[in-house]
Amino acid sequence: MLDRFRFVPARLLQSVPVVFGVTLLVFFMVHLLPGNPALTILGQSATPERVAALNTQLGLDEPLWDQYFLFLERLLSGDLGTSLTYQAPVSGLVLDAIPITLSLLAFALVLSLVISVPLAALAASAPGRLPDMVVRVFTLLGQGMPQFWVGIMLILLLGVKARAFPVGGYGMTAAEHPYYLFLPALTMAIAMCPTTIRSLRASTINVLGSDYVGTARSKGAAGISLFRGHVLRNAAIPTVSIIGVNLGYLVGGSLVIEKVFAIPGLGSLMINAIFTRDFPTIQAVALFVALFVIVVGILTDVVYTAIDPRVDLSSKERA
């Protein structure tokens, strides 16, 4: 069993040059942003002399390649630098924000599955009929609506008018966190559902027409027991890859959603850093997002291998 997961160390090694490329890309793209961080920090008290002195203090007057190698040297030693805005270690700011963002992503994933699985099963049970058409219209609408617009509509409908959920914030206690995260998680789930439903619907229809499902029906299996015992696992195999891709997409979307709902996660940290030209913070958040996408890709392959005995990615790595 464990032999089938030998591809994981190889994938991790293959990720090293990718991470290096990400650091290179992020560093130089950040420095293409217009404006001078020293001007932002000094504000109205900025003078040419003070700006020049702060640039020297921050090392911003050094050649870009020298700044990059210094950034890389600090990164390899675990030092992400000091935030120009908060005057605090960037690593601490990022570590405080990561659990919030991961909680939001996990909540959104759960909600998307809670919505997608029943709707896909409903559509697949009556292809071409009214339930299937209604579900397909939902997927078209969900895919066509921007996330930030969906978030604003949910705020107006469920937050302002119905007053069922808070319109922003993260809450003060562990019990309050899911309550405060429901609307942003639902916003992200609606964006994730269309592709998940379409994939699961198509694979469910194929599985329902297979010989082993016909055999199960002849033995008396029907309804939920048939779907749970014989259909869901096999239908979910192609959808695992779709979910993995969507998670990578969602971590980017969460940056905007966190700002819309005033959630103090990586998204709010990133956007605030962009507005204040806080280079170290922007680089740290972008690097974490890249690492998250890489890890999700590897975990997707692990789950895919675990639920489908026919898949053996370790043999491909050896080849």
Side-chain angles (χ1 to χ4, degrees):
M1 179 65 178
L2 293 178
D3 290 343
R4 298 172 59 213
F5 299 104
R6 287 181 179 175
F7 66 90
V8 174
R11 291 290 175 86
L12 291 174
L13 288 175
Q14 292 170 5
S15 301
V16 173
V18 175
V19 173
F20 174 77
V22 168
T23 63
L24 192 65
L25 186 63
V26 166
F27 181 86
F28 285 98
M29 287 189 67
V30 163
H31 282 76
L32 291 176
L33 290 174
N36 189 328
L39 283 172
T40 305
I41 294 171
L42 292 173
Q44 295 181 351
S45 62
T47 63
E49 295 77 14
R50 298 186 69 180
V51 169
L54 187 55
N55 278 331
T56 302
Q57 180 184 342
L58 298 175
L60 297 176
D61 58 348
E62 298 289 336
L64 276 182
W65 279 109
D66 291 344
Q67 293 184 47
Y68 172 72
F69 287 126
L70 179 60
F71 161 71
L72 200 60
E73 180 182 344
R74 289 175 175 173
L75 180 63
L76 293 175
S77 63
D79 181 11
L80 296 176
T82 301
S83 169
L84 305 181
T85 305
Y86 301 99
Q87 292 300 306
V90 172
S91 56
L93 297 174
V94 172
L95 288 175
D96 289 341
I98 284 175
I100 300 174
T101 298
L102 292 183
S103 298
L104 176 59
L105 290 172
F107 200 178
L109 176 60
V110 171
L111 286 179
S112 70
L113 293 177
V114 169
I115 296 171
S116 298
V117 173
L119 289 181
L122 177 65
S125 64
R129 301 179 188 174
L130 182 60
D132 183 30
M133 294 177 63
V134 171
V135 172
R136 293 169 73 178
V137 169
F138 169 77
T139 61
L140 287 175
L141 291 175
Q143 193 167 27
M145 295 184 294
Q147 282 191 53
F148 70 89
W149 184 85
V150 173
I152 293 172
M153 291 300 102
L154 291 178
I155 288 174
L156 292 175
L157 295 175
L158 299 180
V160 177
K161 290 189 176 181
R163 296 184 179 180
F165 297 95
V167 298
Y170 184 56
M172 301 299 294
T173 65
E176 291 180 341
H177 295 336
Y179 180 54
Y180 277 78
L181 288 178
F182 181 79
L183 287 185
L186 181 60
T187 302
M188 296 170 64
I190 291 173
M192 189 175 180
C193 282
T195 52
T196 305
I197 290 174
R198 285 205 303 268
S199 173
L200 193 56
R201 171 190 173 274
S203 56
T204 299
I205 291 174
N206 289 334
V207 171
L208 285 173
S210 61
D211 293 337
Y212 63 85
V213 171
T215 302
R217 281 174 171 164
S218 66
K219 294 181 179 179
I224 296 178
S225 62
L226 174 67
F227 182 77
R228 184 175 55 196
H230 300 277
V231 177
L232 183 58
R233 177 171 179 172
N234 293 285
I237 291 173
T239 309
V240 169
S241 299
I242 299 295
I243 292 175
V245 172
N246 276 340
L247 274 179
Y249 166 75
L250 278 183
V251 72
S254 69
L255 303 183
V256 177
I257 295 303
E258 286 181 7
K259 192 63 178 177
V260 171
F261 288 91
I263 299 172
L266 289 173
S268 297
L269 188 64
M270 169 70 101
I271 293 177
N272 291 337
I274 291 174
F275 284 135
T276 57
R277 307 299 188 270
D278 190 347
F279 292 168
T281 303
I282 297 173
Q283 291 163 181
V285 175
L287 186 60
F288 172 79
V289 171
L291 290 174
F292 177 82
V293 173
I294 291 171
V295 171
V296 166
I298 295 174
L299 290 179
T300 299
D301 288 340
V302 170
V303 174
Y304 197 92
T305 303
I307 64 176
D308 190 352
R310 297 168 297 178
V311 175
D312 187 5
L313 296 177
S314 61
S315 61
K316 294 182 181 181
E317 295 293 339
R318 289 192 296 269

